[in-house]
Amino acid sequence: MTSAEKYVLAAYLVFLAAVLAYLVIIALKVGRLEQELGDLVRLARERRDG
Amino acid sequence: MSSPNRAAAALAIAAAGLLVGGVALAIFWAPEDVDQGFSQKIFFIHVPVALTAYAFFGFGAWKALRLLSTRNSRYDLESYTAVHMGVIFGLLTLVTGSIWAKTSWGQWWSWGERQLVLFLIVFLFYSAYFMLRYSTDPGPRRERNSAVFALFGVALIPVSFLAVRIAGTILHPTVFTHDDGVAMPWEMFLAFCICLGGVLALAATFYRVELAGKRIDESLKELREQLA
Amino acid sequence: MSAYAVDVATLARKDVLLELRSRDTLPAMLLFVVSALVVFHFALPADASDRAEIGLFWIALIFTALLGLTRAFAAERDQGLLDGLVLAPVDRSAIWAAKVISVVVFLALAEAVALPAYALFFQPVGWQLVAAVALADVGIASIGALVAAMAVASRSRELLLPLLFLPLAIPVVIGGVGASVSENPASFLGFLGLYDAVFAILAWASFEYVVTE
């Protein structure tokens, strides 16, 4: 592999890494949203029952 | 609720297809550049990402203008999301541009590379946008200040472009030019267009997902206040 | 004189008189710009070129302007006058125009000290530098008055202003340094004029959105 090929590969990998990093961010966010929504559902149930 | 999701899914599929096809064409099919050889292949990712960042900044300014004329808060979130995405793509542009600078002339940064210098100025400006947003209390004031600042960005881009261009003639003699005056073989241009389409589709997917996420955040906050 | 011009003149005179009475900002700007030039002398190696000195002069100028801009809305903020001004029956852009005039006045006074000090410490001052500084003042004040109003509305006021201001000031530095060192200063002076026009119009048109509650 020539050095030019290495740098080209690196540039494309940076792009791929950014896409994957965004996936991680969104995964964390979905997890947090799920938890918050669960809290709110529980709160709403308590309201209705109590 | 299903139609926006379906649009995002269609965009994601288009992005995947165009990106895989475009990158494959760029690497294996498009002819090697006469001057720069194989390292010119970075062009097919660097330039589409840069153009996408500019598109986001322009889109954010358009939404900012809509906010100022209609005073509708939904445009604030849209403008903010667009600038947010623009800064992410801007960071990617700086990193891939830096790699290109390294492979082309052995340095990670060159002040003679006008497009990259211009991008650095724009990137600093939009990073300040975040500082402005985070240090102002939420409300109509923040919406309008952010919108005005986003509008200044689209004026700063051409003005800085001009500044970097005339400065290049005196302050930093330009040795390397690969951005202008070079006629591109049509295979190269076609591969570039497909890559550009792919990156734009990916960017549009991100924008929709990010916007949906931010809207959910706001709805949840409101719901919490209602229930509390 | 139209009513608009009268409003602008009245507001600008108020700013200048307020400063003459309190002497909050101007002495600080004068002392700062001279101190900065002295510090820059020691920051340069002994064999540095004359062109580097030009660059340092522009840095001193930008930071002096920043010092003045930090205080530009201080009186209004401390006494809660900005809301009152906004409620007053004047066009809001007149508030901006008046602030630009007073900032230009303070900058010009600071430069009336800085340029001779620069000539004394470093090298003679050419007409290109004076013209570039005059044009730069208008641009600096135009965007400065707008971002200073934004910064005042934020929680981290003084901290935020340089972050908002410096990226916008980069073209001013490019134009100013270029006009001072280039053999063809006209194109750089023309660029500074264009910068002034673009951002003055934009800031004038958008200021009302920044101050309206």
Side-chain angles (χ1 to χ4, degrees):
Chain A
M1 208 176 186
T2 67
S3 89
E5 283 167 353
K6 279 181 194 154
Y7 283 120
V8 170
L9 183 67
Y12 282 86
L13 282 181
V14 163
F15 184 76
L16 183 66
V19 175
L20 293 179
Y22 191 71
L23 185 65
V24 171
I25 291 170
I26 286 300
L28 291 174
K29 181 159 188 162
V30 168
R32 185 174 51 79
L33 289 177
E34 186 183 20
Q35 199 187 348
E36 265 187 54
L37 202 56
D39 284 355
L40 286 177
V41 166
R42 211 178 47 236
L43 209 63
R45 279 206 190 110
E46 281 167 12
R47 272 274 183 96
R48 191 197 51 196
D49 299 341
Chain B
M1 212 46 211
S2 78
S3 81
N5 282 347
R6 208 168 291 160
L11 279 169
I13 292 167
L18 287 170
L19 273 177
V20 170
V23 169
L25 285 179
I27 302 277
F28 300 111
W29 179 64
E32 269 194 24
D33 189 69
V34 195
D35 299 327
Q36 298 189 59
F38 192 73
S39 67
Q40 187 263 351
K41 304 282 185 203
I42 297 177
F43 165 86
F44 294 101
I45 194 76
H46 170 71
V47 177
V49 169
L51 290 177
T52 304
Y54 281 130
F56 268 129
F57 294 143
F59 189 64
W62 162 245
K63 291 292 181 187
L65 200 62
R66 298 283 298 148
L67 173 94
L68 291 180
S69 59
T70 64
R71 313 236 148 166
N72 186 341
S73 295
R74 64 176 274 239
Y75 293 119
D76 176 60
L77 209 56
E78 293 178 1
S79 174
Y80 170 48
T81 308
V83 172
H84 188 173
M85 286 287 129
V87 167
I88 292 174
F89 277 80
L91 193 61
L92 270 179
T93 306
L94 288 173
V95 173
T96 53
S98 179
I99 293 173
W100 198 358
K102 175 68 181 168
T103 163
S104 283
W105 45 89
Q107 291 166 321
W108 290 107
W109 184 260
S110 161
W111 290 105
E113 183 50 50
R114 295 182 202 144
Q115 297 300 329
L116 217 49
V117 173
L118 167 65
F119 218 89
L120 185 63
I121 299 174
V122 173
F123 181 74
L124 283 177
F125 175 86
Y126 281 103
S127 303
Y129 174 93
F130 282 90
M131 298 304 295
L132 174 68
R133 245 192 120 80
Y134 287 139
S135 67
T136 312
D137 292 324
R141 189 117 202 212
R142 181 174 85 171
E143 290 173 5
R144 283 198 303 270
N145 281 2
S146 308
V148 169
F149 203 70
L151 273 181
F152 267 62
V154 287
L156 184 70
I157 291 170
V159 166
S160 302
F161 175 79
L162 200 60
V164 171
R165 190 143 280 256
I166 62 168
T169 59
I170 303 284
L171 300 179
H172 316 285
T174 24
V175 189
F176 313 98
T177 49
H178 54 64
D179 51 347
D180 40 17
V182 184
M184 217 187 278
W186 72 270
E187 294 98 331
M188 215 185 250
F189 186 68
L190 181 66
F192 167 74
C193 287
I194 295 174
C195 285
L196 179 62
V199 174
L200 280 174
L202 182 72
T205 315
F206 280 5
Y207 172 79
R208 278 172 177 276
V209 170
E210 185 70 23
L211 188 62
K214 286 191 162 97
R215 281 195 181 133
I216 292 172
D217 273 341
E218 291 214 328
S219 304
L220 274 181
K221 212 162 102 193
E222 199 184 322
L223 200 57
R224 190 171 283 275
E225 277 160 12
Q226 298 275 326
L227 283 173
Chain C
M1 237 179 5
S2 71
Y4 188 80
V6 173
D7 287 344
V8 172
T10 312
L11 288 168
R13 199 166 60 228
K14 178 217 70 177
D15 280 342
V16 174
L17 285 178
L18 211 61
E19 172 57 28
L20 285 180
R21 201 177 315 150
S22 66
R23 297 195 191 88
D24 271 344
T25 311
L26 197 55
M29 286 169 79
L30 296 180
L31 188 59
F32 179 84
V33 75
V34 175
S35 312
L37 287 176
V38 173
V39 168
F40 287 161
H41 165 72
F42 292 107
L44 279 181
D47 55 352
S49 80
D50 295 350
R51 292 157 77 93
E53 291 169 355
I54 292 271
L56 293 185
F57 174 80
W58 280 93
I59 298 178
L61 183 65
I62 292 290
F63 280 92
T64 307
L66 210 42
L67 198 68
L69 288 170
T70 312
R71 303 287 305 168
F73 284 98
E76 282 88 346
R77 188 193 70 207
D78 293 345
Q79 295 153 34
L81 282 176
L82 201 55
D83 296 336
L85 265 182
V86 170
L87 292 176
V90 295
D91 199 319
R92 274 105 187 204
S93 62
I95 303 172
W96 171 83
K99 206 49 96 176
V100 170
I101 292 173
S102 65
V103 170
V104 166
V105 167
F106 296 154
L107 270 178
L109 288 173
E111 282 146 7
V113 172
L115 284 169
Y118 179 75
L120 179 70
F121 293 157
F122 295 102
Q123 53 182 292
V125 170
W127 68 269
Q128 303 97 320
L129 184 58
V130 177
V133 163
L135 282 170
D137 283 354
V138 178
I140 288 171
S142 297
I143 56 162
L146 186 96
V147 294
M150 282 183 184
V152 160
S154 74
R155 271 176 275 118
S156 51
R157 293 155 184 162
E158 284 81 6
L159 191 63
L160 187 62
L161 182 61
L163 300 175
L164 301 182
F165 177 75
L166 286 177
L168 284 164
I170 290 173
V172 174
V173 174
I174 293 175
V177 174
S180 319
V181 302
S182 160
E183 282 142 29
N184 177 24
S187 64
F188 286 93
L189 293 176
F191 169 73
L192 282 174
L194 178 77
Y195 179 94
D196 291 353
V198 168
F199 282 102
I201 292 171
L202 202 54
W204 175 79
S206 55
F207 188 75
E208 75 170 285
Y209 298 109
V210 174
V211 288
T212 313
E213 197 51 61

